């Protein structure tokens, strides 16, 4: 039984290594997208976390957040979101300026990307990162998202505000926003 498990584990690592190598070696954007989507899905399974850390897939996902290809960003952030539950991966993300990279994805036109960004930020909250993740701009952004027509975005923003911010912070920024129409902190012209 132990030998079978050990063999399965080595097969798993070998397969994931093949995916990473394929991503690095191919010139086809479509093939890269497919591999990246597969790696993001594998990051969801805790059995794969150690292998993905060994293969430095967290860094690969972080690199995707600055790509122009929206699929790269979406799949990279989806994978990062899945890995951000692991304490070691959280450290890698935080040490790699991951908060600002993830925060930049909040302005994406793709709802899946924005949802993954919010969830990743929630997973990254720690005593040392809390002030950066719940700063004024972030709370105001979440307050705007909490008014979204999309139920998924509205609900996740509400959870962020409830779980990551104090009632005082939310009340303070709500009051500051009253009467202002803003888009990412920029006042819109009045009609």
């Amino acid at each position: 039984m132990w030998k079978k498990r050990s063999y399965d584990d080595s097969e798993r690592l070998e397969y994931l290594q093949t995916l990473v190598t394929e991503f690095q070696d191919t010139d086809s954007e479509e093939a890269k997208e497919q591999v990246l989507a597969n790696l993001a899905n594998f990051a969801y399974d805790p059995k794969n976390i150690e292998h993905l850390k060994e293969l430095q897939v967290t860094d690969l996902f972080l690199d995707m957040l600055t790509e122009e290809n929206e699929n790269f960003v979406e799949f990279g952030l989806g994978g990062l979101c899945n890995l951000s539950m692991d304490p070691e991966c959280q450290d890698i993300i935080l040490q790699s300026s991951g908060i600002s990279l993830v925060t930049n994805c909040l302005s994406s036109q793709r709802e899946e990307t924005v949802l993954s960004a919010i969830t990743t930020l929630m997973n990254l909250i720690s005593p040392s990162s809390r002030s950066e993740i719940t700063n004024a701009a972030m709370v105001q952004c979440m307050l705007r998202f909490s008014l979204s027509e999309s139920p998924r975005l509205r609900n996740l923003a509400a959870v962020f505000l409830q779980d990551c911010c104090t009632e005082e912070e939310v009340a303070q920024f709500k009051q500051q926003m009253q009467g202002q129409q803003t888009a990412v902190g920029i006042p819109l012209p009045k009609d």
Side-chain angles (χ1 to χ4, degrees):
M1 187 86 150
W2 180 83
K3 284 187 176 186
K4 177 67 174 153
R5 173 148 171 36
S6 176
Y7 179 71
D8 288 344
D9 203 44
S10 66
E11 267 187 345
R12 185 183 299 260
L13 175 60
E14 189 178 313
Y15 181 73
L16 293 170
Q17 175 65 66
T18 302
L19 286 175
V20 171
T21 302
E22 182 180 345
F23 181 85
Q24 294 167 338
D25 290 348
T26 187
D27 292 328
S28 164
E29 282 213 2
E30 187 178 324
K32 283 184 182 252
E33 288 173 5
Q34 188 172 12
V35 169
L36 203 54
N38 285 330
L39 286 169
N41 285 334
F42 281 114
Y44 186 74
D45 186 344
K47 293 177 185 174
N48 297 319
I49 299 290
E50 291 305 315
H51 299 311
L52 293 171
K53 286 191 284 193
E54 182 179 336
L55 297 170
Q56 300 177 336
V57 173
T58 306
D59 293 326
L60 173 68
F61 289 151
L62 283 164
D63 290 343
M64 294 302 103
L65 302 187
T66 56
E67 291 290 325
E68 288 184 28
N69 181 322
E70 290 291 329
N71 287 332
F72 286 1
V73 176
E74 180 179 332
F75 301 146
L77 192 52
L80 208 57
C81 181
N82 289 336
L83 291 178
S84 66
M85 296 292 291
D86 178 79
E88 286 179 50
C89 291
Q90 288 171 354
D91 289 343
I92 293 168
I93 296 166
L94 293 171
Q95 292 167 7
S96 302
S97 303
I99 292 173
S100 63
L101 292 170
V102 172
T103 299
N104 290 339
C105 296
L106 291 171
S107 61
S108 173
Q109 297 299 308
R110 292 190 175 191
E111 184 173 281
E112 287 302 321
T113 300
V114 175
L115 293 169
S116 291
I118 296 170
T119 305
T120 302
L121 290 169
M122 290 171 64
N123 290 342
L124 292 175
I125 288 201
S126 69
S128 63
S129 66
R130 186 185 185 290
S131 62
E132 187 178 356
I133 294 174
T134 61
N135 63 33
M138 186 66 69
V139 175
Q140 290 174 347
C141 178
M142 292 305 146
L143 285 167
R144 283 190 296 279
F145 285 156
S146 72
L147 303 173
S148 171
E149 290 182 18
S150 163
R152 294 169 67 206
L153 186 54
R154 184 175 60 240
N155 291 339
L156 189 57
V159 170
F160 181 98
L161 291 168
Q162 179 181 333
D163 290 357
C164 303
C165 305
T166 65
E167 289 180 23
E168 294 79 23
E169 287 171 328
V170 174
Q172 174 189 352
F173 294 118
K174 267 186 183 176
Q175 185 177 12
Q176 287 178 3
M177 288 176 63
Q178 278 184 340
Q180 294 180 4
Q181 290 181 326
T182 61
V184 192
I186 303 169
L188 297 174
K190 295 183 179 179
D191 293 336

